[in-house]
Each structure stands twice: as structure tokens, then as C-alpha cells.
Amino acid sequence: ALNYLGSDSTDYQDYYTLQNFKTTNPWDNLVKVCDELNNTPLAQLEDSVGKYMNTDRVLWTLAAEVAFADDDSYIHKGKNDYSLYYEPESGWLTTHEIDGNSVLTTSNLNWSAFYHETDANYPLMHRLFAVPALRQRYLAHLRTMITDCMDPTVVGDLLDSYMAMVDTIVLNDPKKLMTYAQFTAGVTGLENNVTTRRNNLLANPEVAQQAPVITNVEHDVNDGLNASPADGEAVDVRATVTSSNGISGVTLYWSNRQTGIFSKVAMLDDGAHNDGASGDGVYGGQIPAQSGGTLVRYYVQAAGNNTAKSVRYAPPGAEHDVFFYQHKFVPAPTTGVVINEVMADNVSTAMDENAQYEDWIELHNNTGQSVQLGLWFISDSPFEPYKWRMPVGTQIPANGYLIIWCDEDEGQGDLHTNYKLSNGGERILLFNPDSLLVDETTFGDLDPDEGWARIPNGTGPFQQQWPTFAAHNGFVGVEEATEASGLSFYPNPADHSVVLVTEDQENVQVLDATARQVWSGTVNGQRTISTGTWAEGTYMVRIGDRAQQLVILH
């Protein structure tokens, strides 16, 4: 239960099971948390233990287990049925509930909102609840659980929806573990127990304290409200706060990391912090300037002026549910290299060097000089902009193309990334070695073998079209490339031959997946061409700037 057993980690191994680890000396993390939690003076405990344990997430865990009177949990039966996870990004140890099947039993509905806080064998309650700021944070989370998860109408509707799914099945089950009458009575009993537990918690005088109300949280930058700030731009945050028992303070919590400790800034209603007029109930605070691409998380805490200094958060789910913004990436000087085409669901368009159909990103060099791309980055997430780095020596030829395979299998070749693409839509970003943004595009749903390509090639806006793998994007869009284009052929897929059909005399080209011409000729009405020696794969049959896809299967 995170009791301190001394500095020797072997003394802990009778009580904990190490399931897996990827860090050196994982037991030391456990010992350190137990030491800080149990031996730090209470006046320093919040800051001290907060360096090694995600205390906010722990308080959410305790709030959930107390709210639902979890019989199998840290807070009750031998402090079991929970796990601890070490998060390397933050250096935090945090609790996770692993069993929730023994909750809301009638005998436990009167548990105190501060269950076991006086028992030193339960240090997460005994020690954390003794720190006023952490006690109020816990109470705020518990009130959120009561509001969001224990509303009788919401619970009743939820149980009704479950009943609608299983009622007939339970009624007709030939091997029931209980009678059907017991089943229906149990559902009613569960609904009643939620209401009873909720009422018991709200009867606690500390739970019943009124906290301030926070509304209209917004951030303000040069480009307007809630816009993305520029590189190096400070951000003003405002919130409207009202309270029936006065306001003792409003605090802005912010972090420039995706996980880990938040910094704190006082928010003031003095007319001098981009908060409007003094005393108007609008509080303002500023988050320091950050570099381009930085993701900033933030939330607001307001404390009442009652004896307990009761708090509320916006969003209510802080710190796991927060507001956020991202500073704009700094654009790179023009290089001529662009993202030219994307395929997020490659079924039959083009194979990689391992004879596999993988998703791909096509880069194009608009200049007459080759460009070195070694140590450039390309990512499918603005929150991980440097997700995959191109190998040293990578280059793209003058006016040429480079295909990057997005298959999450770097072992298959130098130009294979550590991520895949989603055909449901993503954002692709290209950065130079100085972390400056060279190009980006965002696509939505893409069908199998559908390209997202620049039209005109290399310079125009993106649109959906038939793919032009490693080739000029000169074809019409997908919706236009039909037999009405004046070209058709059969069979498709083809084996040894294909019949080309045109409305008039036309010059026709057939290109393979690398844009190499494999056949050209004149077709006036109808012409059969041999395809028996062509490799299996996808080809483009083209008349001028009109094209359709042909598949060869032997």
C-alpha cells in the first residue's frame, strides 16, 4: 500500500509483483515514492511527492474508488487489486485500478468520503488527505464524479439501455446463475444503491461545500481568441469566476510538455492582466512565450473564500482533461521540395521493394537541382513533429520524386517510417534539419487506392484523384475519371491482353507504377494490346490529362 519499509528494495518484493519493466533498477522508483510519501513533512509533501508520483491521477483514482465504494481496491481489502505504472516521459509513478467488479454493495454505501484517512497503513489517504491543497483537489474530483457519474436520471437511462440489450437473453438462458426475478430485482437494487451512495456522499459537510463556478475560459493572441499563437508569442488566458462565498484566488496551471508537472500563474481581476475592467469577475493570467510547434496544456483553478478554500477546475476533468493550443511552426525558406501526393490505403497501386502494398508519401522537387534530404523529418502528427528522420545521404533528384513508405517497419529499408497512415484522415508535416516547417497537408477519408495529390503538379492545392505514383499529377480527379472521359478498356483486371476502346482516334499511353511508359500507340475505336509480359500491379492508361487505372493479375 506504498508504506515505507526501508531503503532496501528486497524488503518490498514480498508485497509487490514486478510484471514488466524497461528501466534500470525499477524497484528504486517504488522505494523513492514510498519514502517521499511517508517521511516528508506535510508542509512540503505536495511539492516533494509530486516530483515522483502523479498525485492528481492518484486523487482521481481514490475519488472513483470512494464514490463507488469499491470493495476490491487500494482503499479497502488489503490494499490490493491496483497496479502501479512508471511513466518514463514524466518520471512519475501512478496508480491504476485493475478490478471494478465489487462496487456499490449495500453494506458499503455508508463509507466516509475520507475512508481510512486515519489509518497510517493507507498512506495515500492518510497522508495526502492531510495536506489542505490536496484534500481540496480530491474533493473537487469527487464532486465531479458525483455530478457526472451518479446522476439518478443518467444512471437509470444507462441501466435501461443495458437491460434492452440483455433482458431477453437472460430470460431465455437455460443455465442461469440466478432467477430472472433476481436479475430484474438486482437492476433495481443497483439503481437504488447509486442514489443512496450519492446522497450519503453529498451529506458529508466537506463534500457539500460550494466551490466557485468557472466559465468562458479562453486564450487570446494576436490572431484572435483561441487562435494558434506565433513562434515566441506570449498567450493571455481569461476566465470568468463567480462564487457565493467569495473568491480567495484563481490560478492558471500550464505546461509545455505533453505529460508531467504543471507550472502555476496567479490570475487577477485588476484590469491590468488583459482581464477587462477591474472587479468585473474576469480573471487574467499570461503563459510565457514558447517556440514554434510547442504544445501547451492549461487549466484553471478557482478557490472559494470559505474556511476550507473549496476549489473547482475548468475543465472539470483536469489534469487529464485540459485546454490546449499549439504554437505555429516556423516556416522554412523555400526549398522547392513539397509533399506532392499521399496514399493512405494502398491496396494495389504500387509495391515497395519487399513486394508489399504499403501506404506512401510522395515528395517532389520543383527545382532543377538535386536536394539533400538527410536528417529531414516527416511526421503524421503535429504533436510529434520529429517522429521520423530521413537517413543521411537521402536526396531527391532535380525535378524528381521520392517515395517514403509509411509501414511502421524501418527494418525493411531506409525509406520506411516508424508509423502508418490512417485512411480516415491525418496531417502530414515535412521539416528540415533545423526543425523548420517546409510543407504540410491535411487529408480526410480516402478510399482504397485513392491519391491525395497536388493539382497542378508540385504547386497546386490538394485534391482526391487516381494515384500517380512517383509521377506527374496531371490526371483528372477521381470523380471525373470515368468512361465518359472518352476511354474505356476491358477486362480489368487483365491477364494476357486488354482491349482499349476510344470514342475517336486517340494517342494512348500506359504507365507502370513508377511512371515508366510500357506501351503507347494510336487507338481509333478499339485495339487489343498484349500484357502477358507485364508485371503484376497497377498501371495508368492515359489520354492527355485523362487517365484510368488498370490492374494486371496473372
Side-chain angles (χ1 to χ4, degrees), residues 18 77 91 102 145 208 279 298 355 389 406 420 432 441 449 485 534 544:
L18 179 63
K77 192 186 298 179
S102 182
M145 296 290 298
Y298 72 94
R389 187 170 66 178
C406 302
K420 295 181 178 181
N432 69 14
T441 184
D449 290 323
S485 304
W534 296 3

mmCIF file of all heavy atoms in Angstrom, residues 18 77 91 102 145 208 279 298 355 389 406 420 432 441 449 485 534 544:
data_model
loop_
_atom_site.group_PDB
_atom_site.id
_atom_site.type_symbol
_atom_site.label_atom_id
_atom_site.label_comp_id
_atom_site.label_asym_id
_atom_site.label_seq_id
_atom_site.Cartn_x
_atom_site.Cartn_y
_atom_site.Cartn_z
ATOM 1 N N LEU A 18 6.588 -7.438 -9.692
ATOM 2 C CA LEU A 18 7.069 -6.678 -10.840
ATOM 3 C C LEU A 18 6.651 -7.426 -12.105
ATOM 4 O O LEU A 18 7.158 -8.500 -12.407
ATOM 5 C CB LEU A 18 8.594 -6.532 -10.780
ATOM 6 C CG LEU A 18 9.247 -5.770 -11.931
ATOM 7 C CD1 LEU A 18 8.762 -4.320 -11.954
ATOM 8 C CD2 LEU A 18 10.766 -5.803 -11.800
ATOM 9 N N LYS A 77 -9.839 -3.678 0.845
ATOM 10 C CA LYS A 77 -9.476 -5.055 1.191
ATOM 11 C C LYS A 77 -7.975 -5.327 1.021
ATOM 12 O O LYS A 77 -7.542 -5.817 -0.021
ATOM 13 C CB LYS A 77 -10.289 -6.017 0.341
ATOM 14 C CG LYS A 77 -10.214 -7.470 0.789
ATOM 15 C CD LYS A 77 -10.934 -8.362 -0.206
ATOM 16 C CE LYS A 77 -12.404 -8.022 -0.295
ATOM 17 N NZ LYS A 77 -13.115 -8.866 -1.267
ATOM 18 N N GLY A 91 8.704 10.667 -15.402
ATOM 19 C CA GLY A 91 9.379 10.187 -14.205
ATOM 20 C C GLY A 91 8.421 9.921 -13.052
ATOM 21 O O GLY A 91 8.834 9.774 -11.906
ATOM 22 N N SER A 102 -16.692 -5.247 -7.824
ATOM 23 C CA SER A 102 -17.262 -5.426 -6.487
ATOM 24 C C SER A 102 -17.557 -4.050 -5.889
ATOM 25 O O SER A 102 -16.959 -3.632 -4.914
ATOM 26 C CB SER A 102 -16.282 -6.206 -5.604
ATOM 27 O OG SER A 102 -16.834 -6.440 -4.324
ATOM 28 N N MET A 145 -17.092 13.409 -9.981
ATOM 29 C CA MET A 145 -17.562 12.032 -10.129
ATOM 30 C C MET A 145 -19.043 11.928 -9.762
ATOM 31 O O MET A 145 -19.830 11.278 -10.454
ATOM 32 C CB MET A 145 -16.745 11.095 -9.226
ATOM 33 C CG MET A 145 -15.268 10.981 -9.562
ATOM 34 S SD MET A 145 -14.939 10.097 -11.092
ATOM 35 C CE MET A 145 -15.598 8.494 -10.713
ATOM 36 N N ALA A 208 -20.276 18.849 0.648
ATOM 37 C CA ALA A 208 -21.383 19.766 0.368
ATOM 38 C C ALA A 208 -20.939 21.222 0.225
ATOM 39 O O ALA A 208 -21.753 22.070 -0.160
ATOM 40 C CB ALA A 208 -22.422 19.652 1.472
ATOM 41 N N GLY A 279 -12.405 44.222 -11.205
ATOM 42 C CA GLY A 279 -13.558 43.846 -10.410
ATOM 43 C C GLY A 279 -14.761 43.381 -11.196
ATOM 44 O O GLY A 279 -15.861 43.287 -10.643
ATOM 45 N N TYR A 298 -3.269 23.662 -20.533
ATOM 46 C CA TYR A 298 -3.568 24.540 -19.409
ATOM 47 C C TYR A 298 -4.958 24.274 -18.852
ATOM 48 O O TYR A 298 -5.827 23.731 -19.533
ATOM 49 C CB TYR A 298 -3.410 26.016 -19.804
ATOM 50 C CG TYR A 298 -4.455 26.582 -20.722
ATOM 51 C CD1 TYR A 298 -5.577 27.256 -20.219
ATOM 52 C CD2 TYR A 298 -4.342 26.481 -22.118
ATOM 53 C CE1 TYR A 298 -6.532 27.803 -21.057
ATOM 54 C CE2 TYR A 298 -5.295 27.025 -22.964
ATOM 55 C CZ TYR A 298 -6.387 27.684 -22.427
ATOM 56 O OH TYR A 298 -7.337 28.220 -23.258
ATOM 57 N N ALA A 355 7.911 -6.220 -52.175
ATOM 58 C CA ALA A 355 6.720 -6.757 -52.840
ATOM 59 C C ALA A 355 5.488 -6.669 -51.949
ATOM 60 O O ALA A 355 4.631 -7.562 -51.939
ATOM 61 C CB ALA A 355 6.953 -8.198 -53.296
ATOM 62 N N ARG A 389 13.015 10.503 -38.945
ATOM 63 C CA ARG A 389 14.075 11.271 -39.578
ATOM 64 C C ARG A 389 14.643 10.509 -40.764
ATOM 65 O O ARG A 389 14.913 9.309 -40.685
ATOM 66 C CB ARG A 389 15.186 11.562 -38.572
ATOM 67 C CG ARG A 389 16.258 12.496 -39.094
ATOM 68 C CD ARG A 389 17.190 12.924 -37.987
ATOM 69 N NE ARG A 389 17.970 11.810 -37.473
ATOM 70 C CZ ARG A 389 18.893 11.931 -36.511
ATOM 71 N NH1 ARG A 389 19.097 13.118 -35.948
ATOM 72 N NH2 ARG A 389 19.569 10.877 -36.099
ATOM 73 N N CYS A 406 5.196 4.348 -45.608
ATOM 74 C CA CYS A 406 4.694 4.506 -44.240
ATOM 75 C C CYS A 406 4.107 3.178 -43.772
ATOM 76 O O CYS A 406 2.891 2.952 -43.859
ATOM 77 C CB CYS A 406 3.656 5.618 -44.178
ATOM 78 S SG CYS A 406 4.288 7.217 -44.740
ATOM 79 N N LYS A 420 2.374 4.296 -39.544
ATOM 80 C CA LYS A 420 1.497 4.056 -40.682
ATOM 81 C C LYS A 420 0.552 5.244 -40.843
ATOM 82 O O LYS A 420 0.416 6.070 -39.940
ATOM 83 C CB LYS A 420 0.686 2.772 -40.478
ATOM 84 C CG LYS A 420 1.526 1.505 -40.435
ATOM 85 C CD LYS A 420 0.639 0.279 -40.253
ATOM 86 C CE LYS A 420 1.462 -0.991 -40.247
ATOM 87 N NZ LYS A 420 0.610 -2.208 -40.097
ATOM 88 N N ASN A 432 12.772 20.572 -42.121
ATOM 89 C CA ASN A 432 14.194 20.474 -42.462
ATOM 90 C C ASN A 432 15.006 20.173 -41.205
ATOM 91 O O ASN A 432 14.451 20.112 -40.094
ATOM 92 C CB ASN A 432 14.666 21.751 -43.164
ATOM 93 C CG ASN A 432 14.709 22.970 -42.254
ATOM 94 O OD1 ASN A 432 14.638 22.865 -41.034
ATOM 95 N ND2 ASN A 432 14.829 24.142 -42.852
ATOM 96 N N THR A 441 0.219 19.056 -45.244
ATOM 97 C CA THR A 441 -1.100 18.873 -45.831
ATOM 98 C C THR A 441 -1.945 18.072 -44.871
ATOM 99 O O THR A 441 -1.430 17.264 -44.081
ATOM 100 C CB THR A 441 -1.039 18.149 -47.189
ATOM 101 O OG1 THR A 441 -2.361 18.080 -47.743
ATOM 102 C CG2 THR A 441 -0.505 16.727 -47.058
ATOM 103 N N ASP A 449 -6.703 2.813 -52.681
ATOM 104 C CA ASP A 449 -6.000 3.194 -53.916
ATOM 105 C C ASP A 449 -6.382 4.587 -54.413
ATOM 106 O O ASP A 449 -6.292 4.879 -55.601
ATOM 107 C CB ASP A 449 -6.227 2.156 -55.021
ATOM 108 C CG ASP A 449 -5.514 0.849 -54.746
ATOM 109 O OD1 ASP A 449 -4.393 0.898 -54.200
ATOM 110 O OD2 ASP A 449 -6.074 -0.210 -55.051
ATOM 111 N N SER A 485 -14.810 9.902 -69.970
ATOM 112 C CA SER A 485 -13.610 10.625 -70.382
ATOM 113 C C SER A 485 -13.234 10.310 -71.829
ATOM 114 O O SER A 485 -12.298 10.896 -72.366
ATOM 115 C CB SER A 485 -12.439 10.247 -69.471
ATOM 116 O OG SER A 485 -12.750 10.496 -68.127
ATOM 117 N N TRP A 534 3.870 -8.129 -68.849
ATOM 118 C CA TRP A 534 3.905 -7.054 -67.854
ATOM 119 C C TRP A 534 3.845 -7.650 -66.444
ATOM 120 O O TRP A 534 3.184 -8.656 -66.199
ATOM 121 C CB TRP A 534 2.712 -6.107 -68.023
ATOM 122 C CG TRP A 534 2.700 -5.368 -69.342
ATOM 123 C CD1 TRP A 534 3.571 -5.503 -70.375
ATOM 124 C CD2 TRP A 534 1.724 -4.409 -69.746
ATOM 125 N NE1 TRP A 534 3.225 -4.686 -71.412
ATOM 126 C CE2 TRP A 534 2.099 -3.994 -71.057
ATOM 127 C CE3 TRP A 534 0.604 -3.861 -69.167
ATOM 128 C CZ2 TRP A 534 1.364 -3.047 -71.768
ATOM 129 C CZ3 TRP A 534 -0.131 -2.920 -69.857
ATOM 130 C CH2 TRP A 534 0.254 -2.512 -71.151
ATOM 131 N N GLY A 544 -3.843 12.148 -72.905
ATOM 132 C CA GLY A 544 -3.586 13.530 -72.497
ATOM 133 C C GLY A 544 -3.558 13.643 -70.990
ATOM 134 O O GLY A 544 -2.767 12.982 -70.322
#
